[in-house]
Amino acid sequence: MQLTAEKKAAAPDEPAPAAPQGTEAGDIAPGDTVAEDAAPRRKDADGMAVASFVLGLLGLLVLNVFLGPVAIVLAGLALLRGTGRRGRALLGLGLGIADLVVLAAFVTADNTLSWSIAG
C-alpha cells in the first residue's frame, strides 16, 4: 500500500526540528543558524576573558599605561558577549584597574609618566 503525496504531507516520517532553547518556533526562519553563530561568539568572548586576565597581570609589571586599558576593554567586551569565564573576565577587569592605580601611584611619587623600581 502506497501513500499518496497528500497523506505523506499529513503524516511525515520525521518529526519537525525543535526550536533552539530560549526562542519560539516562529522567531526563526528556515535557514537561520542560531546555534552555529552562538558557539564562535562565545569562544571569542572566552578568549577575550583570558586575554584580559593575562594582560592585566602582565600590566602590573610592565607597560601598565598601555596594558591596563586594553585589559579593561577586553574584559568589558567579554562580559557583554556572555563569556563562560566570567570570573576570569572580572579578574582581568580588576587587574586592569589595578594597573592604572599602580601607574597613578608611581606617577605621583616620581612626577613622571615612566617609573622604575631601581629608583
Side-chain angles (χ1 to χ4, degrees):
M1 180 173 162
Q2 286 190 347
L3 295 174
T4 62
E6 296 167 46
K7 286 189 177 184
K8 257 190 182 177
D13 293 335
E14 298 176 10
Q21 190 174 13
T23 61
E24 296 294 324
D27 292 345
I28 300 169
D32 280 352
T33 55
V34 174
E36 292 174 9
D37 291 342
R41 185 176 170 110
R42 183 170 181 149
K43 188 175 180 181
D44 289 344
D46 289 348
M48 286 182 196
V50 172
S52 72
F53 173 72
V54 171
L55 293 178
L57 197 57
L58 189 61
L60 289 174
L61 304 173
V62 294
L63 296 173
N64 51 3
V65 70
F66 174 71
L67 296 178
V70 171
I72 292 169
V73 168
L74 285 175
L77 286 173
L79 290 169
L80 285 175
R81 291 184 179 193
T83 181
R85 299 176 186 242
R86 182 173 164 77
R88 191 139 318 150
L90 291 172
L91 282 172
L93 182 65
L95 286 169
I97 292 169
D99 290 347
L100 297 179
V101 169
V102 166
L103 177 67
F106 280 117
V107 165
T108 56
D110 292 345
N111 293 326
T112 181
L113 189 60
S114 63
W115 59 272
S116 167
I117 295 176

